[in-house]
Structure formats: C-alpha cells, structure tokens
Amino acid sequence: MAYLHDFIYNENSNCRRSSEAVVKAVASAVANQFGTDLAVKILPTVTAAVVGVLDNGDYSASVPFLKEGREIVRAGRILGALGYMAGASGNISVRLDDGTVLITPSGMRKIDLHPDDMVRVDLAGNVLSEGPYKVSSEYMIHLQAYRSRNDVRAVVHTHAPYATTFAAAHMPLDNTVLAEAWNMLGGTIPVVPFGAPSTPELASNLIPFLKDHSCFLLENHGLMTIAKDLETAVQMTETAEFLAKIQINARALGGEKPLRGDSIRILREVQAKRCQK
Ligand SMILES: [Zn+2]
C-alpha cells in the first residue's frame, strides 16, 4: 500500500491535494486492498488518523498561511457548532500581513474545513491560491470592509438565527439593553439595506455603515462583524446573537427595558479607563 505522502502530493508535483481529496484517495485504496466490508468498519478510524496527520503533522508545514488557516478552522468549528452557519452558509476571512485576504471556500460546511481548504484573494477579488475550491460567493462584502477600514483584520458573516430574525424584520438591534453587549458592540447595530447575496450591490450598500459600525444586520439575510482580529469578530458575533435572543425573550415578558441614561455614562467612563491602561 502506498505511503500517506503519495496520497497527499500529486504525482510529479509538490502540490498538495485538498484534505477531502486525500481522504477520498485513502478510502478508495483501503477498499481495494481489504475489501468493502472491512473498509466500512475501519474507515472512520483511518479517516480520523489521516485528518489528524493533515492538521498537525509534518505535512502541515507545506500549507501556506497555516497559522491563519488554523484560526479560520477554529472559528468555523465554534460558529458551526453554535448553529450559526446552517448548511454551507456563512463565511470567514482574515487579512494577511501582505495585505491579501484568506477566506473560506464556497459550498463547504464550516465544521468540515481544514487549513489548506482556504482561498487567497487580493483586495480586487483576484484569486491567488491554486487549491481546488472556489472562493466564497460572499467575498465582496469581506473585501469592501478591508478596503474601507485599515484597522480591520477579520470579517465574519453568519446566519445566526436570532440576529437574522431582526434582519428579517428590518429591525436594528438596540444594544443599550445589556451592558456587556454595549461594551463589545458599541452603538446600535444597524440594518444594511437589502442587496442580493453575492452581488456588488450588497457590498456597496454596506459602505455608508462601515465608518461608524463594526457589527451589521444584513436585511433579509444575516449578520456580519468586523474586527482587529478573528477571535474578537467571533466573540462579537456570539454577543450580537445573545443580545438578539435576549431581546426576543424580553418581548415575551412585556418588552426589554433599556439601560438608564446614568448607566450609559458609567459604562462610558469604565470603558475610557480600560482604554487608558
Ligand atoms: Zn449569507
């Protein structure tokens, strides 16, 4: 039976196959070697071992932008497990040190991603990587955020269900309701007017909101956060979804009560002191 190396690299080339292609090739070889019945029994173990090697073994050294790819994988697993990315929806990106962008591929469940599955694009949307996958269809809203704001290093777009409920109702999120949400998300989370997903119209509708906001509801669509790093963008996504859920629950009890004026002043002072440290 061939060595794992032979499955990972294309013949006569140093190009790595995608993780999915490697797993398929190993599965096929196991079935040929041991027969279908035994293959069905041992394939889950073999697949887990192969994925482990691809993620953590020496082979990973050949994956370009491995560190950033791993960050995206981790974010995708967190947000996918939370149910914010139904089917293959949603997309995640980071800005690399050279100014280009690493983004999730189109059509894949975020929970299944591997670091070498990502697609690298420049700020004009030209694909620079040579992998087998297509760039996320929503790449334009990501690139618009990076072009408009130099401080943005990560973008997360999800279909988190409670936040998307507000987007479907064309209702901004009034985040003066929870102190933690106010601290993390700033002012009101606005609703960006509808543009069909994957169109330049959606990206251009976003432009007027980018200057003053880092968290947005996309009308009749979903949620988007932008931040200085990916972990922050993920936490902002979770916080916005929590805020939306609490507001919907509070309305069942007669309606949420906003933080009082004096509380906002105190929160501002606490935040200012934190920034000075
Ligand atoms: Zn979407």
Side-chain angles (χ1 to χ4, degrees):
M1 199 164 166
Y3 290 107
L4 188 54
H5 179 279
D6 298 333
F7 291 107
I8 292 176
Y9 292 94
N10 286 322
E11 275 177 45
N12 307 321
S13 139
N14 285 328
C15 281
R16 263 196 66 170
R17 291 182 169 127
S18 73
S19 299
E20 193 182 339
V22 173
V23 170
K24 274 185 190 161
V26 172
S28 164
V30 169
N32 285 340
Q33 182 91 1
F34 300 106
T36 312
D37 289 348
L38 184 58
V40 167
K41 281 185 193 156
I42 66 172
L43 267 177
T45 308
V46 172
T47 303
V50 170
V51 168
V53 169
L54 292 173
D55 276 356
N56 302 309
D58 292 341
Y59 294 106
S60 294
S62 63
V63 178
F65 307 106
L66 178 65
K67 178 173 149 286
E68 293 85 355
R70 279 181 171 158
E71 277 179 36
I72 295 177
V73 165
R74 177 175 176 273
R77 287 178 186 168
I78 291 170
L79 297 169
L82 286 169
Y84 295 1
M85 295 185 148
S89 69
N91 18 80
I92 302 165
S93 71
V94 294
R95 196 197 311 247
L96 300 167
D97 288 341
D98 66 0
T100 61
V101 172
L102 202 62
I103 186 166
T104 46
S106 172
M108 284 185 71
R109 285 182 181 277
K110 304 306 165 291
I111 216 155
D112 290 335
L113 288 174
H114 295 282
D116 58 339
D117 295 334
M118 309 308 161
V119 180
R120 184 169 157 250
V121 291
D122 65 20
L123 288 184
N126 299 305
V127 174
L128 306 173
S129 50
E130 294 180 345
Y133 297 117
K134 275 188 173 168
V135 65
S136 164
S137 59
E138 292 287 17
Y139 73 95
M140 283 182 262
I141 54 174
H142 291 247
L143 298 185
Q144 188 59 59
Y146 293 122
R147 284 196 300 263
S148 296
R149 294 254 305 262
N150 287 335
D151 60 315
V152 172
R153 304 280 298 189
V155 177
V156 169
H157 164 53
T158 58
H159 295 175
Y162 288 99
T164 303
T165 302
F166 277 79
H170 299 194
M171 293 173 71
L173 272 163
D174 175 4
N175 65 10
T176 61
V177 173
L178 298 176
E180 284 299 326
W182 187 91
N183 278 337
M184 176 150 262
L185 303 172
T188 296
I189 301 169
V191 181
V192 176
F194 184 77
S198 321
T199 63
E201 186 192 0
L202 179 56
S204 79
N205 287 352
L206 192 61
I207 294 172
F209 296 90
L210 283 164
K211 182 168 170 285
D212 296 323
H213 299 277
S214 296
C215 183
F216 321 86
L217 297 171
L218 305 180
E219 190 175 285
N220 295 103
H221 182 171
L223 175 69
M224 177 177 169
T225 58
I226 60 179
K228 62 181 171 38
D229 57 56
L230 187 51
E231 174 59 17
T232 305
V234 169
Q235 289 192 20
M236 288 167 66
T237 299
E238 292 177 80
T239 303
E241 175 67 353
F242 179 69
L243 174 66
K245 184 176 183 179
I246 295 302
Q247 285 198 214
I248 289 170
N249 287 346
R251 284 171 195 185
L253 300 178
E256 68 273 27
K257 303 285 188 291
L259 286 161
R260 296 169 205 280
D262 204 38
S263 313
I264 299 272
R265 182 184 58 76
I266 294 165
L267 284 173
R268 279 190 210 284
E269 285 174 7
V270 170
Q271 205 171 52
K273 273 185 197 157
R274 218 184 273 162
C275 291
Q276 283 164 10
K277 280 182 186 168

